[in-house]
Amino acid sequence: MQDNKRAAYALIRNVFLVLFVVSLAELAVAIYLESTVLLLLLASAKAVLVVYYFMHIYRLWRQEAH
Amino acid sequence: MSAVTTHHDDHAHDDTHAHELPYGQQLRANRLGLWLFLFSEVFLFVGLFAARFYLWRDASGVVRPELDQVAGLIATSVLLISSYFMVRAEVAVQHGEQKKMHNSLIMTFVMGSLFLLSVIFIEWGVLDLILDNMFGVTLFAHEAIKPGDGAFGAVFYGMTGMHALHVISGLVLILIILANGHKGAFTEERHWGVEACAVYWHYVDVVWIFFYPALYLIGTAVTYHT
Amino acid sequence: MKAILTFTRSRFARALVAGALGLIVAAILVAILNSAHTTWVTPGLEALGVQLPGQLLDLAFWAVAILILLAIVVTAFLSGFGMFHSRRMGRFWYYAAGTALVWGVLGQALTVAIVLFISYLTMGSDFRLTDGNVALAAIFSVIGFLLFSGVLTDWIQWIFGHKTELHHGAPEGEPEWMRYFSVDVNHKVIGIQYAVTSVLVLLVGGTLAIVFRLELSAPGMQLITENTYNTFFSAHGIIMIASILLGVGAMVNYLVPVMIGASDMAFPRLNAFSFWVSIPAALLIVSAMFVDTGFDTGWVGYPPLSTVGSLGIILFLLGFYFNGFASIASAINVLVTVGVMRAKGMALFRMPIFVWTAISASIIQFTATQTVGVALTMVVAQRALGLGFFDPTPVAAGVPVGQPLLYQQLFWFYSHPVVYVFVLPGLGVISELLPVFSRKPLFGYKWVALSSLGIALVGFLVWAHHMFVSGMDDSLRIPFMISTMFVGIPTGVKFFSWLGTLWGGKIIYPTPMLFVLGAISVFLIGGLTGPILATVPTDMHLHDSYWVVGHFHATMFGGFIFPFFAALYYWFPKITGRMYNERLGKLHFWLMVPGFWVMSLGQMRIGLMGMRRRIANYDPALGVEGTQILITIAALVIAWSVLIMLYNLVSSARSAELAPENPWESRSPEWVAPTPLPEFNFDRPIEVVGDPYDYGLADSKYIQTIPAAGD
Ligand code: HEM
Ligand SMILES: [Cu+2]
């Protein structure tokens, strides 16, 4: 249980860090590559991370135990 | 009209078939409903997003107004941090850590408010307007866009404004959750309120994830001085 | 919070509301008297040679008027306390003051007054109606309606951490019929509320149509001015659309939960909310006709006219917007209900076919509606806040400008798909009723089910066929022409299924079946004229002509109005427990269907001859006069036939003989359940054990009651 908890907190922290790094990368891409496609891809990647790890979309097709 | 009756005699309604749904089923319904609502709102934001690419064009291709990049990055980071605290609050309530949930929600609220303030005062230039009028100083390198600045003004205020409305409603939700959480309304097993608020808040963040590059990063910057 | 709630439920609050209602009614009465006084009494006396000292007559008039006003207000106020209860008038005020409707309307009026007053305080003597204060007043007025009508009460309680229970049955201390005027959460009550509102709104829209149809029966202007004409046809369009959306809400709300064996919708409070939002929205749309110079943009509200025209347009835009809001909420509710509330064994491909069309319509409703919301919001934002989305005026070097065409893209991205919201439930009714009346299984159930989804999805890819001549990029024409043609495929599936179901059946022809057949014939006219419009070269000529008017009236009547009427007749015995009058029903049919054919084909004919749409006057040289008169006569016949139906339904609901439990021998869950339907639809939970349309198959069972444990 305790481990479970620690893992849960660690997971969200790591996801957050990845999101942060990708955001900085976006700025770099905008300045140095000026690639619209890449920017939209990066944004989509961020969105997927948030939708999966923060919004837990998978709960939609999971039967609730309680 | 009185012939149009749905009778409600007591015998017609037995308890095996009560109308209040069992918690599990209600939770499924709530989740599905919330996600459908969010999916519906996708069309609102995509409409604005599409309008941005439809209007912010010139002969050379996609353009964007010259905006203050520092302000954009600050706003984006602050909202991301708020999202982190929000998911932290949810993990906390799942593990019965009420205090941690409470504190995380407060942090989310603070970060969310900071985002809102940065939108109003920096992006919309209200701060510069005030400083300029009162002290004659200009803080930010770029003059803020004004609503009347053609398609730049319309889309910029349309997108940030519609997003800000959602941020405000999210902040109100957080306040409600905070107050009810304080009264002990959420338990380890039953905390749909927190979950709903969190999902909504992250959604607002996701919208910004797309709006940020659309407004700040994509296209050739145009200096616009009207 | 508690204190406010207790106050609103007190006799005193009721008396106040009764008094306020009395004031409004009295004010209208006095206004009517006043105009009678100035137009008839004074000139009349003068004509008789009666010379009265200048102001004496006026003085007398106002004395009488004020007396009447006071009398009404005081009676109403006292009636609110329960006085005069033995008199009809007293009961009227008493009950009226207890309805959510009256509370809501007063709340709406009050909010408008408050917003305008605040605006007056800030503007001082320059006060006038502006884009800004009209928009604010309209937006807040909807909130005012909802707050006062009590739709939000439960949710507000939740915010403060109070749990509330769903209230079933009439409001405390009120008679049973008051449910229909109150915020009730039962899906059947809400369904009936939708149906009645829909028909009332239909009558308003229809009246407008009759007026301008009379105007069109001859060249030149005879009845109304050009401006009124514009307002009338614009209002007619949007009011009819509101009516159709309400009618769809009626059928979906009443039928879907029963048909899938559920006790109610998944979110009963949200369900009530959706219905009640559409009332202030409808009021905004109707009031748009009276503010400033009315509203003359047509139901599409294209800029630039909508961004610079009369203030009434703002009310129309916002009324439209809130209608969409209601539509989204109710669509989500339907989808979730079907998603999680189906009875045991109710697999997706075992649901009554109507449910499939309801889902498909809901999918369109809860997505596409948002984009028209964006478009409408943008127009209001341009007018009230100066955001120039559609304003092509150059600003400065390098700054792009707004484009009116953007509106059309966003608007049609919703408004083409929404035509399927109108017709899909109607087509569902056709598919639902045909097997019952031909006593045969529905032909190709799975294909029909999927064709609804197919129509919904393809419907999203065709919007620009409304913009072939709008100045959009030429290269888009061919792709949109082709994609539009694809809609014909799933629609064709439905037609063939109908034919296949009829083929070799033991058909009987009571009124609902007649209307179903009429619907098919009329929808065929609409469906065949569509591809002609979707073909770019022909559309160049036909666009904005009466051909288009003929086309879409045929689709809407065939796809919605006729099936809706069929549904009203068909489920009437379920709702009321009584049978409608068959002879009047048949009379209605034999007046309305030929009437409609004449009207629609006539419209197409004059369209081909060069008659433009949305125009009050026309050149006699067009040679369309004869057909115009014919169309007007047909319209009058249709209007009369609808009145016959209303008479039939109302009088039968009161006094006709009791209907058998399952007069159509249907297999569907709603007919197997008792009549009238119990509060939670089924006394005992049901289970699906067979297929829905196995008519004529011996020993086939669709549903059965699950025996209670221990039986
Ligand atoms: C076979 C399928 C259909 C095709 C191919 C089709 C095609 C078209 C086209 C191309 C137009 C534009 C004409 C113009 O303005 O020049 C049009 C207008 C219209 N259609 Fe259809 N249509 C179809 C079915 C429907 C259905 C099912 C409905 C409604 C229930 C409908 C309602 C309308 C309406 C309301 C308009 C006029 C909009 C306006 O300008 O105010 N159509 N149709
Ligand atoms: Cu269309």
Side-chain angles (χ1 to χ4, degrees):
Chain A
M1 190 62 208
Q2 222 33 322
D3 280 353
N4 240 336
K5 188 162 92 182
R6 204 165 299 143
Y9 283 118
L11 178 67
I12 58 169
R13 195 192 52 233
N14 293 340
V15 173
F16 165 73
L17 289 178
V18 172
L19 286 170
F20 205 90
V21 173
V22 178
S23 303
L24 291 178
E26 280 184 316
L27 196 57
V29 169
I31 296 172
Y32 298 112
L33 300 177
E34 298 190 17
S35 160
T36 306
V37 177
L38 200 53
L39 279 171
L40 290 180
L41 275 179
L42 286 178
S44 308
K46 279 168 76 180
V48 168
L49 287 179
V50 174
V51 168
Y52 192 83
Y53 288 105
F54 285 6
M55 298 168 80
H56 317 287
I57 192 169
Y58 49 85
R59 283 182 191 161
L60 269 182
W61 35 91
R62 193 180 73 192
Q63 284 294 359
E64 217 42 47
H66 43 259
Chain B
M1 273 303 288
S2 55
V4 189
T5 313
T6 48
H7 67 179
H8 61 132
D9 328 9
D10 285 338
H11 76 265
H13 148 214
D14 68 272
D15 293 329
T16 54
H17 191 210
H19 36 286
E20 293 286 349
L21 299 180
Y23 184 77
Q25 197 184 8
Q26 186 69 59
L27 185 66
R28 274 203 330 134
N30 287 353
R31 276 194 185 136
L32 188 56
L34 178 63
W35 277 94
L36 287 178
F37 169 68
L38 298 181
F39 187 68
S40 161
E41 293 248 288
V42 166
F43 281 71
L44 160 66
F45 291 112
V46 167
L48 287 166
F49 198 78
R52 179 257 181 250
F53 285 93
Y54 194 91
L55 293 179
W56 287 9
R57 275 185 312 186
D58 65 11
S60 68
V62 179
V63 296
R64 66 181 158 89
E66 181 82 64
L67 294 170
D68 195 306
Q69 291 296 345
V70 180
L73 196 62
I74 292 178
T76 306
S77 318
V78 168
L79 200 59
L80 193 57
I81 297 173
S82 82
S83 238
Y84 167 70
F85 279 109
M86 187 46 117
V87 68
R88 190 164 173 263
E90 211 195 330
V91 174
V93 73
Q94 277 166 355
H95 292 93
E97 298 179 297
Q98 295 282 338
K99 186 100 190 82
K100 202 163 185 175
M101 171 191 94
H102 197 79
N103 291 341
S104 304
L105 280 176
I106 291 183
M107 280 308 290
T108 317
F109 185 79
V110 170
M111 288 293 153
S113 314
L114 274 182
F115 173 83
L116 193 65
L117 294 178
S118 81
V119 168
I120 297 175
F121 285 104
I122 305 178
E123 293 189 306
W124 294 357
V126 176
L127 189 63
D128 266 345
L129 207 67
I130 296 172
L131 289 177
D132 196 29
N133 280 346
M134 291 174 68
F135 311 106
V137 279
T138 312
L139 203 63
F140 288 92
H142 299 288
E143 206 183 320
I145 294 190
K146 291 184 288 301
D149 285 347
F152 280 163
V155 171
F156 183 77
Y157 279 87
M159 285 171 78
T160 54
M162 192 53 87
H163 183 255
L165 274 182
H166 283 75
V167 172
I168 292 174
S169 54
L171 289 175
V172 172
L173 279 181
I174 294 176
L175 282 185
I176 295 172
I177 294 303
L178 265 173
N180 283 315
H182 203 66
K183 293 185 205 152
F186 307 115
T187 63
E188 258 173 86
E189 286 80 32
R190 298 191 170 196
H191 48 258
W192 163 247
V194 182
E195 182 183 331
C197 176
V199 170
Y200 183 76
W201 187 259
H202 296 311
Y203 180 76
V204 175
D205 191 18
V206 171
V207 171
W208 189 254
I209 284 178
F210 286 101
F211 276 20
Y212 169 61
L215 292 170
Y216 282 85
L217 305 178
I218 294 176
T220 332
V222 173
T223 354
Y224 58 96
H225 278 296
T226 50
Chain C
M1 190 63 218
K2 277 255 158 60
I4 298 177
L5 271 184
T6 322
F7 172 72
T8 57
R9 283 169 195 157
S10 70
R11 279 289 162 96
F12 182 64
R14 194 163 187 154
L16 278 184
V17 168
L21 181 65
L23 187 66
I24 292 180
V25 172
I28 294 173
L29 201 68
V30 168
I32 295 173
L33 284 181
N34 184 32
S35 69
H37 165 69
T38 46
T39 47
W40 291 320
V41 180
T42 318
L45 285 179
E46 260 164 30
L48 288 175
V50 182
Q51 282 291 331
L52 284 172
Q55 283 140 3
L56 192 63
L57 197 64
D58 278 352
L59 223 76
F61 170 79
W62 282 112
V64 173
I66 287 172
L67 271 182
I68 295 177
L69 203 117
L70 271 181
I72 293 183
V73 173
V74 172
T75 334
F77 181 74
L78 293 178
S79 307
F81 285 107
M83 276 184 218
F84 313 119
H85 213 70
S86 55
R87 287 166 194 275
R88 191 168 273 217
M89 202 63 199
R91 282 201 300 275
F92 170 77
W93 294 120
Y94 176 80
Y95 286 123
T99 61
L101 185 64
V102 168
W103 278 75
V105 171
L106 287 178
Q108 190 167 17
L110 192 69
T111 327
V112 170
I114 291 173
V115 173
L116 291 184
F117 183 68
I118 293 174
S119 159
Y120 169 76
L121 290 184
T122 53
M123 288 164 86
S125 57
D126 311 326
F127 176 76
R128 72 209 142 75
L129 291 181
T130 63
D131 292 343
N133 62 21
V134 169
L136 271 186
I139 293 170
F140 279 101
S141 81
V142 175
I143 301 173
F145 184 103
L146 295 175
L147 272 179
F148 270 70
S149 61
V151 178
L152 305 178
T153 309
D154 271 11
W155 290 328
I156 296 176
Q157 300 246 62
W158 293 2
I159 290 178
F160 290 101
H162 308 298
K163 288 236 162 67
T164 57
E165 292 225 330
L166 276 177
H167 178 80
H168 295 281
E172 244 162 277
E174 310 283 352
E176 182 70 19
W177 56 265
M178 279 286 273
R179 290 187 83 169
Y180 298 93
F181 295 92
S182 314
V183 178
D184 197 286
V185 289
N186 188 293
H187 75 97
K188 295 178 290 295
V189 174
I190 295 176
I192 291 165
Q193 287 174 328
Y194 267 118
V196 173
T197 319
S198 166
V199 171
L200 290 178
V201 173
L202 188 81
L203 290 181
V204 176
T207 311
L208 296 174
I210 294 300
V211 174
F212 63 72
R213 233 8 283 177
L214 288 172
E215 173 61 56
L216 284 175
S217 49
M221 299 302 295
Q222 29 284 333
L223 277 179
I224 47 180
T225 63
E226 281 92 342
N227 192 50
T228 315
Y229 182 91
N230 286 350
T231 295
F232 276 21
F233 84 70
S234 303
H236 164 73
I238 192 69
I239 287 176
M240 285 311 198
I241 284 171
S243 162
I244 293 180
L245 285 175
L246 289 163
V248 168
M251 296 196 286
V252 165
N253 260 291
Y254 193 88
L255 295 175
V256 167
V258 209
M259 283 184 162
I260 62 169
S263 55
D264 204 323
M265 296 285 255
F267 306 117
R269 293 180 185 85
L270 186 68
N271 201 17
F273 173 83
S274 318
F275 168 71
W276 286 99
V277 180
S278 29
I279 303 284
L283 290 176
L284 284 185
I285 290 175
V286 171
S287 62
M289 294 169 60
F290 302 103
V291 171
D292 203 354
T293 52
F295 103 84
D296 46 8
T297 56
W299 77 283
V300 295
Y302 280 177
L305 180 53
S306 62
T307 54
V308 294
S310 152
L311 291 172
I313 296 167
I314 295 185
L315 296 179
F316 147 71
L317 294 167
L318 289 169
F320 196 165
Y321 181 89
F322 283 107
N323 246 322
F325 203 76
S327 188
I328 292 172
S330 110
I332 291 177
N333 213 341
V334 171
L335 290 174
V336 177
T337 305
V338 177
V340 303
M341 307 271 292
R342 273 172 288 133
K344 190 162 167 236
M346 183 67 80
L348 287 179
F349 284 112
R350 280 187 163 175
M351 299 188 302
I353 200 76
F354 177 81
V355 180
W356 275 98
T357 56
I359 306 178
S360 311
S362 300
I363 290 177
I364 300 171
Q365 259 176 307
F366 95 109
T367 53
T369 311
Q370 290 280 6
T371 65
V372 81
V374 175
L376 303 171
T377 317
M378 283 175 170
V379 178
V380 176
Q382 173 162 343
R383 294 187 65 144
L385 306 172
L387 305 186
F389 289 103
F390 311 119
D391 181 4
T393 324
V395 194
V399 177
V401 291
Q403 293 187 32
L405 214 55
L406 171 62
Y407 179 91
Q408 297 189 22
Q409 304 276 12
L410 292 170
F411 181 85
W412 287 113
F413 187 80
Y414 160 78
S415 292
H416 181 82
V418 84
V419 301
Y420 299 114
V421 173
F422 305 158
V423 301
L424 278 172
L427 305 185
V429 169
I430 299 179
S431 301
E432 189 69 47
L433 267 52
L434 277 180
V436 179
F437 292 119
S438 31
R439 312 308 301 166
K440 262 188 67 197
L442 178 67
F443 187 78
Y445 172 95
K446 246 184 207 179
W447 286 96
V448 180
L450 292 176
S451 75
S452 303
L453 279 184
I455 291 182
L457 298 183
V458 182
F460 275 102
L461 306 174
V462 303
W463 77 91
H465 64 215
H466 294 273
M467 301 167 58
F468 286 146
V469 296
S470 66
M472 73 170 184
D473 202 5
D474 284 354
S475 61
L476 293 176
R477 282 177 174 167
I478 304 295
F480 276 103
M481 168 170 141
I482 294 171
S483 65
T484 303
M485 298 302 178
F486 277 121
V487 183
I489 298 172
T491 317
V493 168
K494 285 191 186 296
F495 268 101
F496 286 119
S497 154
W498 296 334
L499 291 181
T501 309
L502 284 170
W503 198 270
K506 296 195 204 94
I507 307 175
I508 50 167
Y509 299 97
T511 308
M513 180 60 169
L514 289 178
F515 272 92
V516 163
L517 296 177
I520 295 177
S521 78
V522 169
F523 195 66
L524 189 63
I525 301 179
L528 291 180
T529 48
I532 300 174
L533 286 171
T535 310
V536 179
T538 34
D539 185 60
M540 301 268 215
H541 296 277
L542 295 173
H543 180 71
D544 259 348
S545 77
Y546 251 77
W547 176 276
V548 176
V549 178
H551 156 71
F552 69 73
H553 279 88
T555 53
M556 307 259 209
F557 270 72
F560 177 79
I561 300 285
F562 283 105
F564 181 56
F565 288 174
L568 287 181
Y569 284 115
Y570 179 78
W571 279 288
F572 184 80
K574 188 80 229 172
I575 296 170
T576 63
R578 294 173 195 275
M579 204 52 172
Y580 61 86
N581 180 322
E582 191 64 61
R583 279 179 55 204
L584 284 179
K586 294 224 161 90
L587 179 64
H588 173 199
F589 175 80
W590 287 114
L591 287 176
M592 186 158 167
V593 167
F596 186 81
W597 288 335
V598 171
M599 182 173 102
S600 189
L601 296 177
Q603 284 168 334
M604 290 172 197
R605 177 182 148 84
I606 59 174
L608 288 176
M609 292 167 78
M611 175 74 195
R612 297 246 284 106
R613 73 188 278 210
R614 294 188 171 142
I615 202 145
N617 194 352
Y618 50 90
D619 190 343
L622 277 179
V624 295
E625 256 174 274
T627 319
Q628 290 279 26
I629 291 176
L630 212 61
I631 297 173
T632 303
I633 294 172
L636 287 170
V637 170
I638 293 172
W640 274 110
S641 74
V642 173
L643 292 181
I644 292 176
M645 174 186 79
L646 291 185
Y647 168 77
N648 186 353
L649 297 187
V650 171
S651 67
S652 307
R654 293 176 147 207
S655 53
E657 58 188 288
L658 292 181
E661 279 269 308
N662 187 354
W664 317 119
E665 293 170 31
S666 162
R667 296 160 55 91
S668 202
E670 79 274 18
W671 288 107
V672 179
T675 302
L677 286 169
E679 182 79 18
F680 303 109
N681 294 342
F682 303 95
D683 290 341
R684 300 210 164 280
I686 57 161
E687 177 185 16
V688 176
V689 292
D691 285 315
Y693 297 106
D694 287 346
Y695 288 98
L697 261 72
D699 295 336
S700 69
K701 224 173 170 188
Y702 180 31
I703 60 171
Q704 68 183 25
T705 307
I706 299 177
D711 276 13

